[in-house]
Amino acid sequence: MSVETIRSYVGENRVVICIGTRNPAKIRGVTNAFKRFFNEVEVKYINPSINLAPQPIGLENVIDGARRRALHAMDKLRDCSYGVGIEAGWVLINGEYYDLETAWIQRWDGVGSLGFSPAFKIPRLFAEKILDGSRKELEDVVNEYYGTENIGDRGGFIGVLTKNVVTRSDLSYMATLMALIPFINEDLYIRGKDTR
């Protein structure tokens, strides 16, 4: 199915997306994902003035952070078609921590959707600095180790690890695309219609 077919199927030419962050890498990823399906995308963003953990650990905490960011953006900004929250955090798999980005998209009518990026393994020596409380978040450890500054606003740790083959914007983009699936396939996911 072509992008133009999907756009006409979705039935919206212009959308206003309200993003719960001021992080340029996240904003770029979210915006690029929406532009794949909508002709005109207006972007608004706000730093959430809500209490969020600096380094969310556990899938439920990561999802909750993304959802709260999206709802905050919808509440504080006006005329939003969709509120979007992106939260990066860790999940424990087979005794190792993996980092993933989670996207929560809240549509103006209250319908919400969740999507995930690919995940990558956190080096144990980095994870230990967060878990023992000596550092607040992964970005602090990465900046200290590599001598970078504000790495989370640019390519992110994934950019460093992959020599910028994959960047933080890419992870935000993929998570947002996955969260958009129910909205571009409403008959399957939201209306529950059998189209066979």
Side-chain angles (χ1 to χ4, degrees), residues 112-162:
S113 179
L114 179 65
F116 300 99
S117 74
F120 65 95
K121 188 175 176 178
I122 302 298
R124 189 179 296 268
L125 80 108
F126 283 34
E128 286 170 354
K129 289 182 185 282
I130 305 300
L131 299 171
D132 71 13
S134 62
R135 300 294 179 278
K136 287 187 179 181
E137 59 184 305
L138 182 59
E139 181 175 1
D140 298 334
V141 181
V142 174
N143 286 333
E144 185 178 289
Y145 187 84
Y146 289 99
T148 53
E149 204 173 305
N150 298 322
I151 194 68
D153 289 348
R154 298 191 316 260
F157 189 27
I158 189 64
V160 173
L161 294 173
T162 65

Side-chain angles (χ1 to χ4, degrees), residues 91-98 124:
V91 292
L92 187 62
I93 303 170
N94 295 331
E96 302 285 350
Y97 283 100
Y98 286 78
R124 189 179 296 268

